């Protein structure tokens, strides 16, 4: 049965979407069957994989609000082994539509549960908020990856996210765990970046991924070409870093199962 991993941080611009589709692509290139669920109304993970959100008959919105069959929402991507459930701007309205429903926090869990048998990993790209859609993503997930930007305000807001995770764990999803903290936009030349990495390690120990994601122009350029970085420039530092992250994630999960 597949593992559902949410990629979440309510702080914007920390590399959630970049991590979601590049990690998904690298896991697929490592032979895993992967589904990426774009749960952000901005639909950047969708466009970053070269998929036109308007081309899909069914998106995350229809699955959540109308109860559409999630299997019919799955579309192929440019990466063999990586499939996608698109997002569109109308997902913004789902916050309001779900508000008065019973068990509204478990809507996404019900959507994804039938798909778990078909994939090794299901990755959820969350929006930069702690609204009902992100709560749904965390309630559906087995674990969460928290990208942390290597900058001054990096740790600001993490306590709020951790508190949300604690509440969801106690009330909605007891099995939810933190997969790891991922340092992004890392520049080894900056003393501050190294201090933040050490601070993260000091606070969270083994929960911090050994892999760090560097600042890399190819990572910034690849979404505009509708490609993950391993297809856009496989020799770039960004591509190498996400390949390392994929292997580290697979290795961690193999150890846990053992």
């Amino acid at each position: 049965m597949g593992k559902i991993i949410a990629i979440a941080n309510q702080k914007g611009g920390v590399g959630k979407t970049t991590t979601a589709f590049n990690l998904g692509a690298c896991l697929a290139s490592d032979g895993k069957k992967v589904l990426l669920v774009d749960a952000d109304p901005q639909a950047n993970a969708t466009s970053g994989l070269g998929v036109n959100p308007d081309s899909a008959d069914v998106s995350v919105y229809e699955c959540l609000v109308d109860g559409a069959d999630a299997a019919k929402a799955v579309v192929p991507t440019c990466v063999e082994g990586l499939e996608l459930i698109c997002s569109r701007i109308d997902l913004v309205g789902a916050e309001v539509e779900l508000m008065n429903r019973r068990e509204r926090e478990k809507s996404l869990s019900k959507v994804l549960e039938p798909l778990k048998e078909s994939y090794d990993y299901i990755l959820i790209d969350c929006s930069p908020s702690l609204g009902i859609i992100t709560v749904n993503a965390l309630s559906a997930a087995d674990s969460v990856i928290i990208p942390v930007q290597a900058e001054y305000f990096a740790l600001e807001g993490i306590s709020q996210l951790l508190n949300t995770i604690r509440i969801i764990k106690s009330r909605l999803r007891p099995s939810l765990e933190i997969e790891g903290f991922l340092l992004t936009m890392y520049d080894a030349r900056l003393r501050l970046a190294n201090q933040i990495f050490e601070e993260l390690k000091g606070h969270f120990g083994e929960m911090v991924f050994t892999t760090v994601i560097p600042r890399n122009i190819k990572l910034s350029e690849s979404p505009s070409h509708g490609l993950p970085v391993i297809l856009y420039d496989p020799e770039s530092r960004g591509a190498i870093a996400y390949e390392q992250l994929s292997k580290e994630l697979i290795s961690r999960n193999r150890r846990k199962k053992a």
Side-chain angles (χ1 to χ4, degrees):
M1 182 174 283
K3 183 171 192 178
I4 301 178
I5 303 176
I7 299 170
N9 188 331
Q10 78 274 20
K11 194 170 185 294
V14 298
K16 284 187 300 297
T17 299
T18 300
T19 295
F21 71 82
N22 282 302
L23 176 57
C26 289
L27 286 168
S29 74
D30 278 332
K32 303 299 180 185
K33 191 82 172 19
V34 185
L35 175 66
L36 175 59
V37 180
D38 191 348
D40 185 349
Q42 296 176 79
N44 289 334
T46 298
S47 59
L49 285 169
V51 177
N52 179 356
D54 296 324
S55 67
D57 295 328
V58 182
S59 71
V60 173
Y61 175 86
E62 284 81 15
C63 294
L64 284 174
V65 174
D66 302 330
D69 182 359
K72 293 179 179 175
V74 174
V75 297
T77 71
C78 54
V79 181
E80 188 177 350
L82 174 63
E83 295 180 323
L84 172 73
I85 296 182
C86 300
S87 177
R88 287 196 285 258
I89 191 63
D90 58 5
L91 187 59
V92 171
E95 297 268 345
V96 178
E97 300 261 9
L98 293 173
M99 196 54 68
N100 296 317
R101 293 196 182 180
R102 289 185 61 212
E103 295 193 318
R104 60 183 181 271
E105 298 90 353
K106 296 196 172 181
S107 301
L108 187 58
S109 180
K110 291 171 185 173
V111 167
L112 296 181
E113 198 62 36
L115 300 178
K116 286 184 80 171
E117 293 287 351
S118 304
Y119 297 94
D120 296 305
Y121 291 95
I122 297 176
L123 305 180
I124 308 173
D125 180 30
C126 298
S127 63
S129 75
L130 289 178
I132 190 68
I133 303 299
T134 299
V135 169
N136 259 271
L138 294 171
S139 300
D142 299 303
S143 65
V144 54
I145 291 175
I146 303 173
V148 180
Q149 191 175 358
E151 291 194 354
Y152 182 68
F153 292 114
L155 302 180
E156 189 181 84
I158 282 187
S159 59
Q160 189 183 353
L161 176 61
L162 293 178
N163 190 48
T164 300
I165 290 169
R166 272 194 294 272
I167 292 168
I168 288 169
K169 193 174 170 65
S170 64
R171 297 181 187 174
L172 296 167
R173 185 74 166 177
S175 60
L176 179 65
E177 59 181 30
I178 294 173
E179 189 72 46
F181 293 84
L182 175 68
L183 196 64
T184 61
M185 304 179 196
Y186 178 78
D187 187 340
R189 298 169 300 177
L190 300 179
R191 184 186 300 169
L192 178 62
N194 292 297
Q195 285 175 344
I196 289 168
F197 187 57
E198 292 306 316
E199 199 169 337
L200 266 181
K201 276 282 192 186
H203 277 296
F204 302 111
E206 293 300 310
M207 284 195 286
V208 181
F209 284 104
T210 304
T211 304
V212 296
I213 307 302
R215 282 195 177 277
N216 180 239
I217 190 67
K218 300 299 181 183
L219 279 176
S220 304
E221 289 175 355
S222 67
S224 66
H225 295 268
L227 294 169
V229 72
I230 57 163
L231 293 185
Y232 179 66
D233 188 346
E235 302 300 319
S236 65
R237 290 189 306 127
I240 292 165
Y242 276 110
E243 284 171 343
Q244 288 174 343
L245 178 63
S246 170
K247 286 175 171 50
E248 185 175 354
L249 179 65
I250 291 168
S251 174
R252 278 186 178 208
N253 282 283
R254 194 178 291 131
R255 285 201 303 271
K256 284 177 186 176
K257 283 179 182 176

